[in-house]
Amino acid sequence: MYSESVEPEALPDARSPLLPRKKSSARPGSAQSELSTSQVYSDGLPQSGDQPETATGRNLHYLLYISHFLSTWNSRLFEFGAILFVTSIYTGTLLPTSAYALIRTAAAILFSPTIGKYIDSGNRLQVVRLSIELRIIVLGVVTLLACLEKLGSVMNTVAVERDWVSILSYVPADWAF
């Protein structure tokens, strides 16, 4: 395959959906066009007569499907878990849960066109890497906020329950047993 000293971004892969779409500049009948007769575009979209010819081509498709499935599963599980988390904090009302869902949907509606333009103008591999890095950062921030929430909960519990035992077990001196 490729030597380990070459960066993956530098290697052309006509079947990769992560590269920007561009036409092949090879002339028909040339040696370069013989190597890529079924690979007219470099974005991996199926063209007429474009079939995976090797086991690695088929494996790449399966890996792409698995990656998409796991990414979708992660998104849906987060959505479900976040709603359960908000509902467990604010019991008795669905107003915070509804506000969370409304704000999240409004953000998706407002910022999706900008993100779409960025995806269309950039290198897909860099876009995917950026999205993974952003998810890691968001997970770190959410974890930090969860730690702060737990510390606030402990502070509230200690402040309220600290003196309960002494107050509930207090026996005035004039009480005689």
Side-chain angles (χ1 to χ4, degrees):
M1 281 303 262
Y2 302 115
S3 68
E4 293 188 21
S5 64
V6 177
E7 290 294 320
E9 297 92 22
L11 299 173
D13 184 6
R15 296 192 183 278
S16 174
L18 302 177
L19 296 175
R21 187 178 180 98
K22 64 180 180 181
K23 280 199 168 198
S24 174
S25 61
R27 290 178 294 164
S30 69
Q32 186 181 5
S33 73
E34 295 301 322
L35 293 175
S36 62
T37 53
S38 65
Q39 301 167 357
V40 177
Y41 292 100
S42 66
D43 64 354
L45 295 175
Q47 304 298 319
S48 60
D50 191 16
Q51 297 293 326
E53 298 150 359
T54 63
T56 57
R58 281 188 222 108
N59 287 342
L60 289 176
H61 281 91
Y62 290 128
L63 291 175
L64 181 63
Y65 297 147
I66 290 169
S67 173
H68 178 69
F69 170 76
L70 291 175
S71 176
T72 304
W73 179 270
N74 179 35
S75 295
R76 300 303 175 260
L77 192 62
F78 175 80
E79 290 172 4
F80 181 70
I83 293 294
L84 290 180
F85 179 69
V86 172
T87 304
S88 70
I89 292 175
Y90 300 101
T91 57
T93 181
L94 292 177
L95 182 64
T97 306
S98 300
Y100 167 78
L102 182 67
I103 291 169
R104 187 165 188 231
T105 303
I109 291 170
L110 291 175
F111 298 119
S112 288
T114 306
I115 291 172
K117 288 177 187 174
Y118 175 71
I119 290 170
D120 289 341
S121 67
N123 182 348
R124 297 269 176 103
L125 184 58
Q126 291 174 347
V127 170
V128 169
R129 285 182 177 168
L130 177 65
S131 72
I132 291 170
E133 290 170 2
L134 287 176
R135 282 184 162 190
I136 291 171
I137 291 169
V138 168
L139 179 63
V141 170
V142 168
T143 303
L144 179 65
L145 291 175
C147 292
L148 291 175
E149 185 275 332
K150 182 62 177 176
L151 290 174
S153 174
V154 168
M155 186 181 351
N156 188 21
T157 302
V158 169
V160 171
E161 297 176 1
R162 180 177 179 193
D163 298 325
W164 280 14
V165 173
S166 60
I167 290 173
L168 291 176
S169 63
Y170 174 73
V171 178
D174 58 345
W175 288 14
F177 286 105

